[in-house]
Amino acid sequence: MSIRTRNRTLHILQLFERRSLWTVEDIALEMGVSISSAYRDVKELSNLGFLALSARSEYMLGPAFIRYDLLIRQGDPLVKAASEPMLALLARTTQHAVVLISRRFRDQVMCVHQEKGSDHPPSSTYERGVALPMFKGATSKAILAHLGDRALKQIYLNHEHEIRESTGVGGWKAFSEQMKAIREAGVACTDSEVAPGRIGIAAPVFWEGQVVAGVSLVFELTQFDQAGFAAEVRRSAREISAALESVKTP
């Protein structure tokens, strides 16, 4: 089916979520348009820097995205508010850890910033730009547990099979009770859900009364101090939430 003209350039960019290189012919075939139409759209995106031509006459994402990523890093209120509390969390717990701040992205949670401890922190594949399912990992669950009932149930209905497989929880009632327990505890704790041997403790970050992100401390099992670390993660989330309220945007 042909895609409406005003949506084509956006759709072209979304193709790169599936693979990194596309020819004009493949783009035209994927979108159901003529090669000449695809070429015009690709040329427009290239002129703006959103696409770049490789040596093999295939197109890849262009340098404009790097520029916009810089602008986001410089202007994102969440990153501004979180940086110092994240470093403070490492200082209060262990330098053999990574602290992540992640926000909701569609029905996923995306890492937007991380701070690494100075004492050989564990490796982490959950870096800036990586998205995980909303129901996998401590950060995801900390955010999920604080969504409104309607949003929470919609996510459950949309992903019931994956939730059952990932969490081992069967049925909406059991799932909602699990989320209630996380909400009451103020933190979500997971063991090896994202990477083997990694413990995650996460707490929700609020802005103007709404959950907007989660901050998580990720470390190895040998460093585990659940009660002490959980209290510090909750404290860090409160610090970030308070800093967000004072952030002044242009």
Side-chain angles (χ1 to χ4, degrees):
M1 179 180 294
S2 179
I3 298 171
R4 289 176 296 180
T5 302
R6 67 175 180 270
N7 293 333
R8 283 210 307 259
T9 53
L10 177 60
H11 186 77
I12 288 172
L13 296 178
Q14 290 174 327
L15 293 178
F16 289 86
E17 294 185 24
R18 292 162 45 188
R19 67 176 196 246
S20 58
L21 293 169
W22 288 81
T23 64
V24 173
E25 291 78 9
D26 286 344
I27 290 172
L29 181 63
E30 182 71 24
M31 299 196 305
V33 300
S34 67
I35 292 177
S36 60
S37 293
Y39 177 77
R40 284 194 297 271
D41 294 334
V42 166
K43 183 179 180 181
E44 180 181 0
L45 288 168
S46 298
N47 289 340
L48 294 171
F50 291 108
L51 293 181
L53 187 62
S54 75
R56 298 171 54 188
S57 297
E58 296 173 308
Y59 284 87
M60 56 189 172
L61 293 178
F65 285 100
I66 301 173
R67 172 62 177 166
Y68 280 101
D69 182 64
L70 174 63
L71 295 175
I72 292 174
R73 289 174 186 265
Q74 293 175 337
D76 187 346
L78 179 60
V79 174
K80 286 182 177 181
S83 295
E84 289 187 11
M86 291 167 71
L87 290 171
L89 176 58
L90 288 169
R92 297 194 303 261
T93 54
T94 173
Q95 293 291 340
H96 188 66
V98 179
V99 180
L100 308 169
I101 188 80
S102 307
R103 59 157 44 100
R104 186 177 177 184
F105 172 66
R106 301 173 186 164
D107 278 357
Q108 299 173 303
V109 173
M110 176 182 288
C111 176
V112 297
H113 185 60
Q114 68 171 250
E115 296 286 355
K116 294 184 178 181
S118 59
D119 184 18
H120 302 91
S123 59
S124 173
T125 57
Y126 193 27
E127 59 184 342
R128 178 177 171 86
V130 173
L132 292 178
M134 182 66 84
F135 42 84
K136 185 175 183 180
T139 310
S140 301
K141 291 177 179 178
I143 296 174
L144 189 64
H146 289 82
L147 295 178
D149 289 342
R150 181 177 297 180
L152 182 62
K153 189 159 190 178
Q154 190 60 57
I155 288 174
Y156 176 81
L157 293 174
N158 290 344
H159 303 280
E160 182 174 1
H161 179 70
E162 298 112 299
I163 289 172
R164 286 174 179 267
E165 285 195 342
S166 177
T167 65
V169 175
W172 160 249
K173 183 178 179 180
F175 178 71
S176 61
E177 288 176 351
Q178 183 188 71
M179 293 300 104
K180 180 181 178 181
I182 292 172
R183 192 162 57 248
E184 291 176 347
V187 291
C189 302
T190 58
D191 182 349
S192 302
E193 278 197 13
V194 176
R198 301 290 187 268
I199 301 295
I201 303 178
V205 172
F206 296 91
W207 193 6
E208 297 181 347
Q210 300 293 320
V211 61
V212 295
V215 60
S216 58
L217 181 71
V218 180
F219 50 94
E220 294 177 335
L221 183 61
T222 54
Q223 298 287 321
F224 195 40
D225 174 11
Q226 182 172 0
F229 285 6
E232 293 299 342
V233 173
R234 284 194 297 267
R235 175 181 170 184
S236 181
R238 291 194 299 269
E239 291 170 347
I240 297 170
S241 298
L244 266 177
E245 295 298 341
S246 64
V247 166
K248 304 299 182 183
T249 55

